[in-house]
Amino acid sequence: GTQIEGRFTPAVSGTWRLEAQAADGASLEGEPPELRLVIVADSAPVVALPVPGRDTTLPISMRQQLVADVRDDHGIARVSVVSWRVSRTGRIGEAVRESLDVSGVGDRAIVQAQLDAERRGLYPGDTLRLYVEAWDNAPTPHRGRSPEIALRLPSMEELRAQAREAARDVAVAADSVSAAQHELAARPRDLAQERTRDAA
């Protein structure tokens, strides 16, 4: 009839032109239709780690808040936090993977998590290094990962220095409060003397 139906699977970018001939051998009217295709390879998920965002020190609680931003055009299949201990002497521990829940998030997820470093055997001066990795939902899954972040546990010397600095800050604050208290105590006397002068 006057219609053609079919399919093909292009492997590279290019231009395809339909060549057709009538049953009686006559050429068709007009320019043959063209199909221009650009084949774009599927990319890996894009993973960012805005919190903590950069190298920092571990909190005293040994629990670090994490926020991961993951995007992919095929959708996100799974996300994990990968972390490992590096001792102050440079010894590297075994990597630990912790899965994050991304069920039903679609093609973008902002995932909040908490990394518990309390049971990781860290000593003062050690570092916990981490990154977040994600797999997309493509027929052949691709893996993307965030930049690596270092969470450092301060050394004993640094902890003592921080304690001394905190003690100095407390002393300065106490002196400031004491001075403000003396000033407040003197103010009623000054007001009383001013009233006496006004009355005189």
Side-chain angles (χ1 to χ4, degrees), residues 17-128:
R17 185 174 64 251
L18 177 66
E19 293 183 354
Q21 189 176 23
D24 60 4
S27 59
L28 300 180
E29 296 180 1
E31 291 293 324
E34 288 184 344
L35 180 63
R36 294 181 177 87
L37 293 178
V38 177
I39 308 299
V40 180
D42 183 34
S43 60
V46 178
V47 186
L49 198 56
V51 177
R54 58 184 176 81
D55 295 349
T56 185
T57 56
L58 268 169
I60 298 297
S61 64
M62 301 291 281
R63 287 178 168 84
Q64 175 64 51
Q65 294 296 327
L66 302 176
V67 176
D69 184 358
V70 186
R71 289 170 289 159
D72 189 82
D73 55 350
H74 268 288
I76 301 158
R78 63 186 194 273
V79 176
S80 299
V81 178
V82 182
S83 60
W84 64 96
R85 171 182 173 257
V86 179
S87 72
R88 59 183 173 179
T89 59
R91 185 178 177 189
I92 299 174
E94 187 177 346
V96 175
R97 276 181 169 76
E98 300 174 71
S99 295
L100 304 179
D101 183 18
V102 289
S103 54
V105 296
D107 59 1
R108 182 164 189 187
I110 296 179
V111 189
Q112 297 185 25
Q114 188 179 76
L115 181 64
D116 187 358
E118 197 169 6
R119 293 186 295 274
R120 301 298 292 274
L122 296 174
Y123 294 99
D126 288 355
T127 302
L128 190 66

